[in-house]
Amino acid sequence: MNSPFILINFKTYREGTGYGADRIARAASAVMEDTGVTIGIAPPYTDLRKMARHFSIPIFAQHIDGVGAGGFTGHTPAYMMKLEGATGSLINHSERRLTLADIEASLTAAEAEGLTSIICTNNIRTTAAAAALGPDYVAIEPPELIGSGISVAQADPEIIAGSVKAALKQNNQVKVLAGAGIQSGDCVRISLDLGCSGVLLASSVVKAEDPEAVLLDLVSKI
Ligand SMILES: O=C[C@H](O)COP(=O)(O)O
């Protein structure tokens, strides 16, 4: 994935499903084409295939399970997400926490399918542990700031800087994303200046009246 990378997680917001998902994906696609900044989306599973067919942008699953084909009712195996058109997956999002064994199994499954892996973490120590597993990215997101409208880049730049340092100490190939409350070009700029390769965000774009305008602001200081 080219840096900087902006990933928009639609979560299960109503604004990010069905027609809403189309609207945000269209905006992401247009801004990526106009500016050259890589913008990916993580739509709900129910919209993933449609998004992958219609848009030439990175498409991420919001979660994958480290199981294969077979008797795994209710699971979302990496191979299925790949078949649906995903190019990567979040693993261990704050709203979809996993055990360490499950994180490793999901990561192994992502690697087997050639999916770009992003392990989400909640503090500097877990960032170091996640980086040691060897994912493509770790995404540091203080849970208390997620969806708060308060940007981690402004409220807690130390956790970003500390995470970058800790991650690179474990694994000099891993890239770091900053997430939680990211909403403007300034947030992106600060994150990049602190050593990140991009940002992971949701509400500022998904719930926006004009997602394209927010995205243009987000890329404006790159
Ligand atoms: O996956 C995205 C993060 O949880 C950040 O969400 P937020 O941008 O709404 O704070």
Side-chain angles (χ1 to χ4, degrees):
M1 204 77 59
N2 287 336
S3 299
F5 174 43
I6 294 178
L7 180 58
I8 311 161
N9 180 5
F10 295 7
K11 303 194 176 185
T12 57
Y13 285 123
R14 281 195 190 279
E15 296 90 335
T17 63
Y19 170 74
D22 284 349
R23 198 171 75 105
I24 301 161
R26 233 179 298 127
S29 190
V31 174
M32 179 163 157
E33 199 173 310
D34 288 352
T35 64
V37 177
T38 308
I39 302 178
I41 58 171
Y45 301 132
T46 44
D47 286 295
L48 200 144
R49 175 183 283 264
K50 186 179 62 176
M51 300 283 103
R53 284 201 177 159
H54 291 285
F55 300 100
S56 300
I57 57 177
I59 309 279
F60 277 65
Q62 295 181 10
H63 163 79
I64 46 169
D65 289 303
V67 298
F72 299 105
T73 303
H75 287 72
T76 49
Y79 93 88
M80 281 188 183
M81 294 299 102
K82 177 78 181 282
L83 275 178
E84 294 297 298
T87 55
S89 183
L90 296 174
I91 295 170
N92 193 46
H93 190 279
S94 245
E95 294 151 7
R96 192 67 171 84
R97 279 281 180 246
L98 300 173
T99 64
L100 182 57
D102 288 338
I103 293 171
E104 203 202 353
S106 296
L107 178 62
T108 302
E111 287 168 351
E113 295 298 333
L115 296 172
T116 300
S117 52
I118 302 176
I119 301 182
C120 299
T121 62
N122 59 339
N123 61 39
I124 294 172
R125 289 175 74 186
T126 58
T127 303
L133 294 173
D136 297 300
Y137 292 87
V138 290
I140 171 66
E141 300 199 302
E144 68 280 8
L145 297 179
I146 291 177
S148 68
I150 300 169
S151 168
V152 63
Q154 272 142 354
D156 197 355
E158 298 80 14
I159 200 170
I160 301 177
S163 294
V164 170
K165 193 172 164 202
L168 292 177
K169 193 172 164 195
Q170 292 296 327
N171 171 356
N172 63 12
Q173 298 297 308
V174 76
K175 296 178 181 175
V176 180
L177 304 178
I182 299 290
Q183 54 196 278
S184 69
D186 284 333
C187 303
V188 175
R189 185 69 263 160
I190 292 167
S191 303
L192 298 179
D193 287 346
L194 292 171
C196 291
S197 296
V199 294
L200 171 62
L201 58 88
S203 47
S204 65
V205 170
V206 177
K207 298 177 108 177
E209 271 185 31
D210 184 348
E212 187 166 339
V214 178
L215 280 166
L216 284 169
D217 182 30
L218 283 161
V219 302
S220 65
K221 300 199 171 164
I222 291 175

